[in-house]
């Protein structure tokens, strides 16, 4: 019977110097950024900050140097991400390209695609979005209906992608489209130029906080040339499986509510006594456990393995942890969330209270993830 594999994994000693360097950089760059803005972290977009990260060599860290990368370890990249998220850095502009679209092109893209795009991503100048989910199918990617019909010189695309994070800022989308009626082997991935392709409409989806991180992307007879096909026709299902392991296992799966926990502890300290100590201890224990699980997945990725099952577990448990944080923060302190005009704690609590419902949507809904886990364990 299949079981979970989470090997004990520690960060190498040499990453300590990198961590100190990143912390010093963030202390300078974020010194005037309000906490409520920092709470947005990986959904926050700041192109200038992304360019500074690129200049530091902190984007595309694992990629070959010939494509603008730096050939560093998965653990070096992990340390940079952990520090960025814990501090609330605005990494959203380059985030997807660095995390999964770049590695996808390295694994399955053509040399032309790699040379054209990857150096720009590594410089913090080129942004990606993910074209997977659709209306009425959500995270069930086998139900993809957006159709790519073969025509002379390329494909004509019609359909709709939904919950497309950052599409309004992105230069490219990796789109999963249906090229035949076969459930799985009829799916193909394409590189879509969002800035120079006619027939594409991007519509914002506003959340409770008034932000439009999510978008609906509509294709109406949009033409995608042959040289933008990623991998081979019909290989999209297998490629997506490998891609999602990158998306579901990183520190963003347990650090999106980290600033709220820090502010909650500060508020409890102001009151003195041992109030809330037991609950804070429980939250910290969960955080440390999730971190170790995530590090284990990073270790497997560093070895070139595909820990899709373990990544799904990290994502599911991480979303539960993050969504629980505003509830516990309110219960412990009895302070109402506030939007505008409140203390740092009230405003961070207000922002996350409105946004955490989406945390179990991004990267795959809870129901889909638990189905993947059950199948991986041989339970269905």
């Amino acid at each position: 019977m299949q079981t979970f594999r989470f090997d004990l994994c520690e960060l190498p000693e040499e990453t300590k110097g990198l961590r100190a360097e990143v912390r010093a950089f963030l202390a300078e760059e974020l010194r005037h950024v309000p906490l409520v803005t920092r709470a947005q972290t990986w959904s926050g977009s700041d192109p200038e900050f992304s360019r500074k990260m690129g200049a530091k060599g902190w984007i595309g860290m694992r990629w070959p140097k010939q494509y603008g990368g730096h050939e560093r370890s998965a653990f070096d990249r992990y340390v940079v991400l952990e520090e960025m998220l814990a501090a609330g850095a605005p990494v959203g502009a380059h985030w997807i390209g660095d995390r999964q679209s770049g590695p996808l092109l390295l694994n399955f893209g053509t040399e032309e695609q790699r040379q054209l795009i990857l150096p720009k991503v590594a410089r913090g100048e080129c942004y990606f979005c993910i074209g997977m989910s659709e209306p009425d199918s959500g995270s069930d990617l086998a139900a993809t209906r957006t159709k790519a019909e073969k025509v002379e010189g390329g494909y004509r695309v019609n359909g709709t992608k939904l919950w497309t994070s950052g599409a309004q800022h992105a230069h490219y989308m990796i789109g999963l489209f249906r090229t035949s009626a076969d459930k799985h082997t009829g799916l193909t991935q394409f590189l879509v130029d969002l800035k120079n392709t006619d027939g594409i409409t991007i519509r914002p989806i506003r959340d409770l906080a008034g932000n439009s991180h999510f978008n609906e992307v509509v294709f109406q007879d949009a033409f995608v040339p042959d040289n933008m096909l990623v991998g081979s026709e019909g290989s999209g299902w297998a490629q997506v499986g490998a891609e999602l392991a990158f998306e579901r296992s990183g520190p963003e799966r347990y650090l999106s509510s980290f600033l709220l926990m820090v502010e909650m502890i500060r508020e409890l300290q102001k009151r003195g006594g041992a109030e809330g100590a037991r609950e804070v201890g429980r939250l910290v224990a969960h955080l440390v456990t999730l971190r170790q699980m995530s590090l284990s997945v990073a270790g497997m990725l560093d070895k070139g393995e595909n820990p899709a099952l373990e990544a799904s577990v990290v994502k599911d448990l991480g979303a539960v942890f993050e969504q629980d944080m505003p509830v516990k923060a309110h219960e412990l302190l009895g302070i109402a969330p506030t939007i505008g005009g409140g203390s740092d704690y009230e405003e961070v609590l207000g922002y996350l209270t409105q946004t955490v419902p989406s945390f179990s949507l991004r990267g795959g809904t809870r129901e889909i993830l638990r189905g993947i886990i059950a199948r991986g364990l041989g339970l269905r």
Side-chain angles (χ1 to χ4, degrees), residues 77-323:
R77 181 178 181 274
Y78 198 95
V79 164
V80 171
L81 292 184
E82 197 169 43
E83 290 298 320
M84 293 285 164
L85 294 164
V91 298
H94 66 269
W95 181 259
I96 293 171
D98 178 48
R99 180 183 68 183
Q100 66 195 89
S101 298
L104 180 82
L105 292 177
L106 281 172
N107 288 332
F108 304 109
T110 65
E111 185 64 18
E112 177 188 8
Q113 291 167 352
R114 295 173 190 146
Q115 294 287 357
L116 173 67
I117 292 170
L118 294 183
K120 291 187 287 187
V121 175
R123 292 196 300 268
E125 298 172 356
C126 181
Y127 318 136
F128 271 78
C129 65
I130 304 165
M132 293 187 189
S133 297
E134 296 188 0
D136 304 320
S137 62
S139 298
D140 182 8
L141 300 183
T144 292
R145 293 182 296 179
T146 298
K147 187 176 181 181
E149 180 184 4
K150 189 71 181 78
V151 296
E152 184 177 354
Y155 294 79
R156 183 170 58 242
V157 180
N158 285 281
T160 301
K161 292 295 178 180
L162 199 60
W163 313 122
T164 314
S165 300
Q168 73 273 44
H169 305 301
H171 300 94
Y172 292 95
M173 168 194 284
I174 299 287
L176 181 69
F177 304 144
R178 184 159 294 285
T179 48
S180 79
D182 297 320
K183 186 174 182 179
H184 294 122
T185 58
L187 297 173
T188 304
Q189 286 187 305
F190 292 87
L191 184 60
V192 182
D193 185 340
L194 295 178
K195 300 299 185 184
N196 300 291
T197 303
D198 294 332
I200 297 177
T201 303
I202 299 173
R203 299 170 180 159
I205 300 172
R206 299 207 174 275
D207 59 24
L208 288 172
N211 300 318
S212 55
H213 177 61
F214 291 128
N215 294 270
E216 177 185 64
V217 182
V218 180
F219 297 85
Q220 295 175 300
D221 291 331
F223 177 75
V224 178
D226 284 328
N227 65 355
M228 299 296 255
L229 191 151
V230 179
S232 59
E233 189 170 307
S235 64
W237 179 259
Q239 292 173 195
V240 162
E243 179 182 353
L244 288 173
F246 291 103
E247 180 178 357
R248 290 173 172 164
S249 62
E252 71 272 20
R253 297 308 173 193
Y254 61 87
L255 287 179
S256 296
S257 299
F258 182 75
L259 281 178
L260 177 58
M261 187 167 74
V262 172
E263 292 306 307
M264 178 180 69
I265 293 170
R266 284 179 177 152
E267 288 294 323
L268 288 169
Q269 287 175 331
K270 290 177 186 177
R271 298 186 179 193
E275 182 183 4
R278 179 179 297 177
E279 188 60 38
V280 169
R282 187 185 72 85
L283 290 171
V284 171
H286 284 190
L287 177 69
V288 171
T289 302
L290 283 164
R291 181 178 186 265
Q292 184 57 62
M293 293 169 69
S294 179
L295 268 175
S296 177
V297 174
M300 286 185 266
L301 290 171
D302 197 51
K303 297 174 185 176
E305 300 173 7
N306 181 14
L309 176 60
E310 288 78 9
S312 296
V313 176
V314 173
K315 196 276 178 185
D316 184 30
L317 294 180
V320 172
F321 172 77
E322 292 182 327
Q323 289 179 324

